[in-house]
Amino acid sequence: MDADLRQKIYEYIEKKGLRKTVQREAIIQAAFSTVEHYTAEELIAMAQRIEPSVSRATVYRTLPLLVESGQLREIDLGKDHKTYDPNFVNRPHHNHLICTDCQKVVEFEDHYMETLEDCISKRLGFSPTSKSVRIEATCDKLKKFGACENKHG
Amino acid sequence: MDADLRQKIYEYIEKKGLRKTVQREAIIQAAFSTVEHYTAEELIAMAQRIEPSVSRATVYRTLPLLVESGQLREIDLGKDHKTYDPNFVNRPHHNHLICTDCQKVVEFEDHYMETLEDCISKRLGFSPTSKSVRIEATCDKLKKFGACENKHG
DNA sequence: TTAAATGCAAATTATTTGCAGAAGC
DNA sequence: GCTTCTGCAAATAATTTGCATTTAA
């Protein structure tokens, strides 16, 4: 886990007058031990592997902290649950493309979109704080070869 | 309500071998009687004003039909419920900006984004089927004048 | 010491579903 | 007449919360 990231989180926790607990420690450890997206439920499992006393409630209470601190991003992939993305610290401007064939999520960066976002917001009289771009798309491989990497069945 | 839109929906219903019922009729009527975004719950109320026998279950069962038919769009505004947008037929390429001060949703169109979407998808080996761009932003008016149109309190 | 954090289990909220009766074709 | 639809009420699933207890500072 990135030392700088850890420091930023603890700075945030301290600034807020919050406390350092073994459960939080484990959740933070787990939250940034991967570059994969995960759900709250998955994070519970990951954190419990580090510290079995971590409960569902504490994870659900800690997730908003990590998001507020700016180190973790909550993204919407069109599912009925929230998804968390630990990669925004390293790549703050990336977006997501979701394959409608295999549900795979591909991250991509595009700097024109940043510029556009600024233009649009200014044109409308706003200052952008965050954006989310989600593109759903079909896999060209599937169409050509009848197969898609992750496609089941 | 747009006659063409109505026709397209009924074409879809017929093509699917589905039936025309008073409840569906009322829900369709309600769904396209406004240009405002609405939630499922709000649509229930609107439809019941037209036909009191409309139930929650039927609205929830009809919404996916309207979305599949391509006449209604399900959008995500970062709330814990789905939002429906009846304006995509007229403005298929619009996106949404959400004011973090007053929660107002501003629709905007940008054709560069369309182009970008195509480029990005092709670059990655996909064909886009739908995109959603959501920008969250603070209101410049609020910053300058300490007021934001819809801001409460 | 004292305010904050925890686990548990119950509550909440949006949405879905099973079923028996009603209605379209 | 045979399905499809419907309303109802119960089920589901993700997330939140109240409370008694524990723990960090």
Side-chain angles (χ1 to χ4, degrees), chain B residues 103-121:
Chain B
Q103 298 299 309
K104 188 168 144 185
V105 177
V106 181
E107 300 195 343
F108 68 90
E109 291 200 64
D110 196 293
H111 291 290
Y112 288 109
M113 271 197 183
E114 273 177 77
T115 311
L116 272 177
E117 171 196 19
D118 279 357
C119 291
I120 290 159
S121 300

Side-chain angles (χ1 to χ4, degrees), chain A residues 17-19 21 23-24 53-55 57-58 61:
Chain A
L18 305 177
R19 292 169 183 178
T21 67
Q23 290 86 355
R24 270 186 191 153
S53 75
V54 170
S55 73
T58 299
R61 282 190 271 236

Side-chain angles (χ1 to χ4, degrees), chain B residues 24-62:
Chain B
R24 271 185 190 154
E25 178 82 20
I27 294 166
I28 293 167
Q29 201 70 240
F32 300 100
S33 64
T34 177
V35 295
E36 301 292 326
H37 302 150
Y38 46 81
T39 64
E41 215 62 30
E42 285 163 349
L43 182 57
I44 293 168
M46 296 192 285
Q48 285 178 340
R49 249 171 266 138
I50 297 171
E51 170 56 53
S53 75
V54 170
S55 73
R56 166 171 284 94
T58 300
V59 170
Y60 273 108
R61 283 189 272 236
T62 304

Side-chain angles (χ1 to χ4, degrees), chain B residues 1-32 50-51 54 62 65-72:
Chain B
M1 191 181 134
D2 191 327
D4 181 53
L5 193 149
R6 182 201 209 77
Q7 198 198 322
K8 287 231 178 79
I9 293 172
Y10 280 106
E11 267 171 25
Y12 182 82
I13 285 180
E14 200 171 343
K15 194 181 66 190
K16 278 272 204 171
L18 306 176
R19 291 171 182 175
K20 196 172 166 177
T21 68
V22 280
Q23 289 87 354
R24 271 185 190 154
E25 178 82 20
I27 294 166
I28 293 167
Q29 201 70 240
F32 300 100
I50 297 171
E51 170 56 53
V54 170
T62 304
L65 280 183
L66 302 183
V67 172
E68 284 161 33
S69 80
Q71 306 309 111
L72 184 66

